[in-house]
Amino acid sequence: MPGPDHARLPPSSPSATTQRAPQLLLMLVFMVACGQMAQTIFVPALPQMATALKVEATQLQAVMACYLLAYGLFQFVYGPLSDRVGRKLPLLIGIGIFILGAFIATQAVSFYQLILASLIQGVGTASAGALCRSIPRDHYFGEPLVKFNSYVSMAVVFLPLVAPFIGSMTAAYLGWQAVYWVLMGFGMVAWCLLLCGFKESLPRSKREHRPIMASYRHVLRHKSFKGYLCSLIATFAGIAAFEAIAGVLYGQYLALSPLMVSCYFVAPIPGYLLGAFIAGRQKRPQRTVYQGVALLGAGALLLLIPGIFQLVVGWSLLIGSILFFSGAGMLFPTLTSAALEPFPRQAGIAGALLGGLQNFGAGLAALSMSLVPMGGQLSIGLLSALMVVLVIVSLHYARDQQAPHPDLMLQNS
């Protein structure tokens, strides 16, 4: 793997010399925060929203579903667009659309208006979802890319934890509409920061000129990319499935108090943050991949074994989820970087595929948890174990492709 001195873009590239890493990270965190906060900030206000809009609280689950649907699908629009016109313009358009959606939500007087507002917000934040992966690739390569992506990955996971606390305080004192005023204000700050502080990271000389479908075919023909993509989808699906079922297991099966359910629910997040931090410090990506897969497997086994005996065991759920999330934290920045490295001109499309398909896979996993009979921990244990097997198979599939950094591949023993 090239050393740090050779990992950046050459000095002639504007993106390598005009945007400092801390400033770039700040820009990315703010733009990603719009999408991450929009997913969870309104959750504490759901009872107020249901009363005000005269609907059942369960119907408001459609707000999240519509948001995620638009968020996932429109990444496939912003990605190829950014490869052709640069990153800054699509980001400004996207965050602007998000601000509009948040404003419509503040004025919503019916359930369907709120659904429309959520769709518009998802259409807007999809720009950040796709380009938060592409922009680091414009600046970095190799070890610095993994390190930078580890910081972005930590921010992406941490922000949804903060948002519900902001939402609960806002809704308690100012009402549920104020939650969307907060989102709108945050979006305006992010838009101004991007307008004034973000320097275009994709110079004209490095932009893609071939037709969009030809660019998609070029990326999807790359064997390593497909292997890394499947590994990331499987890992993210395991996380989403656990989050979808954890509340039921802790609250109904173990009869924990709401406070304890919240504590157990967020307990795996520090594990993810630690895993991402370690990935950013590792000098050998191959070792990071091995360690990440080992942690995934250990976590899946701890979830599965009690389930085989139709049991729900609190400590195994807790430790198993922490281990699984820690492994995911190590794999996400490492494999995302490896997947993007071969595509300096198609980083937008590659980032859109990574973001959009991960969200789609997570949605399928969460849906499966709602449809499959519980059987104690068996359903989440089986799905987690299946996802680990898929990760291993996908990494071996990627192994045979010659890549810029073959030490990222799992090798035959």
Side-chain angles (χ1 to χ4, degrees):
M1 175 174 290
D5 292 339
H6 303 288
R8 297 178 181 271
L9 292 174
S12 60
S13 169
S15 63
T17 58
T18 60
Q19 190 94 57
R20 293 183 176 182
Q23 184 183 16
L24 177 64
L25 182 61
L26 178 66
M27 297 294 106
L28 290 178
V29 167
F30 264 89
M31 74 182 199
V32 170
C34 292
Q36 296 300 311
M37 290 180 67
Q39 291 184 35
T40 56
I41 193 172
F42 66 88
V43 171
L46 284 176
Q48 289 186 28
M49 295 163 65
T51 301
L53 301 177
K54 298 180 175 59
V55 296
E56 295 292 331
T58 54
Q59 289 181 260
L60 291 173
Q61 294 179 4
V63 173
M64 174 66 73
C66 291
Y67 173 84
L68 290 176
L69 178 65
Y71 178 77
L73 289 177
F74 274 82
Q75 290 190 39
F76 297 108
V77 175
Y78 289 108
L81 177 64
S82 72
D83 285 338
R84 286 154 180 79
V85 304
R87 314 298 188 201
K88 187 168 184 175
L89 180 59
L91 280 174
L92 290 173
I93 292 173
I95 301 301
I97 293 173
F98 167 75
I99 294 169
L100 174 63
F103 175 74
I104 293 174
T106 66
Q107 307 301 310
V109 294
S110 73
F111 172 68
Y112 295 105
Q113 287 178 345
L114 188 60
I115 290 293
L116 174 63
S118 297
L119 281 168
I120 294 173
Q121 289 176 74
V123 169
T125 56
S127 61
L131 301 188
C132 72
R133 296 170 175 84
S134 309
I135 292 171
R137 177 61 186 89
D138 296 337
H139 289 267
Y140 302 107
F141 187 85
E143 183 183 314
L145 179 59
V146 177
K147 185 175 182 179
F148 193 90
N149 276 332
S150 72
Y151 294 135
V152 176
S153 183
M154 285 188 279
V156 166
V157 171
F158 180 74
L159 289 167
L161 295 179
V162 178
F165 291 101
I166 298 174
S168 63
M169 296 296 292
T170 304
Y173 290 101
L174 300 173
W176 70 268
Q177 294 98 333
V179 170
Y180 289 98
W181 282 112
V182 170
L183 277 181
M184 180 180 169
F186 194 91
M188 293 175 70
V189 171
W191 193 89
C192 291
L193 284 174
L194 288 170
L195 178 66
C196 301
F198 180 72
K199 297 177 175 62
E200 178 57 60
S201 62
L202 188 65
R204 292 182 181 274
S205 61
K206 295 184 177 294
R207 293 178 187 175
E208 178 67 285
H209 301 293
R210 73 181 80 188
I212 291 177
M213 294 310 298
S215 297
Y216 270 111
R217 285 194 296 269
H218 172 70
V219 173
L220 289 172
R221 276 200 299 262
H222 199 282
K223 193 174 182 181
S224 290
F225 178 84
K226 289 185 286 187
Y228 295 140
L229 172 62
C230 289
S231 297
L232 290 166
I233 291 172
T235 304
F236 196 47
I239 289 177
F242 178 81
E243 290 179 339
I245 202 173
V248 176
L249 293 174
Y250 288 133
Q252 295 185 9
Y253 278 72
L254 297 177
L256 298 178
S257 68
L259 176 61
M260 291 303 298
V261 170
S262 299
C263 293
Y264 273 65
F265 187 82
V266 302
I269 302 301
Y272 183 96
L273 297 175
L274 178 61
F277 179 80
I278 292 172
R281 299 288 176 175
Q282 287 272 29
K283 301 298 183 183
R284 295 180 58 190
Q286 180 188 359
R287 178 180 297 177
T288 306
V289 172
Y290 276 126
Q291 292 171 345
V293 173
L295 287 170
L296 288 184
L301 284 176
L302 276 176
L303 295 173
L304 175 62
I305 291 172
I308 294 175
F309 299 98
Q310 303 294 303
L311 298 173
V312 177
V313 181
W315 67 264
S316 84
L317 279 172
L318 179 62
I319 298 176
S321 62
I322 291 174
L323 291 175
F324 195 95
F325 276 57
S326 299
M330 298 183 76
L331 290 179
F332 272 120
T334 307
L335 297 183
T336 297
S337 301
L340 289 170
E341 282 188 352
F343 307 109
R345 290 183 180 272
Q346 300 87 25
I349 282 179
L353 286 167
L354 291 174
L357 293 179
Q358 281 182 58
N359 280 280
F360 182 75
L364 289 180
L367 179 63
S368 70
M369 287 295 98
S370 67
L371 298 177
V372 175
M374 291 286 291
Q377 293 176 210
L378 185 60
S379 57
I380 184 59
L382 282 174
L383 189 138
S384 299
L386 178 62
M387 293 302 102
V388 175
V389 171
L390 182 56
V391 168
I392 295 171
V393 171
S394 299
L395 289 173
H396 277 281
Y397 173 81
R399 173 196 61 190
D400 299 328
Q401 173 72 31
Q402 291 296 321
H405 300 299
D407 59 344
L408 284 171
M409 311 293 186
L410 288 178
Q411 305 294 334
N412 283 326
S413 56

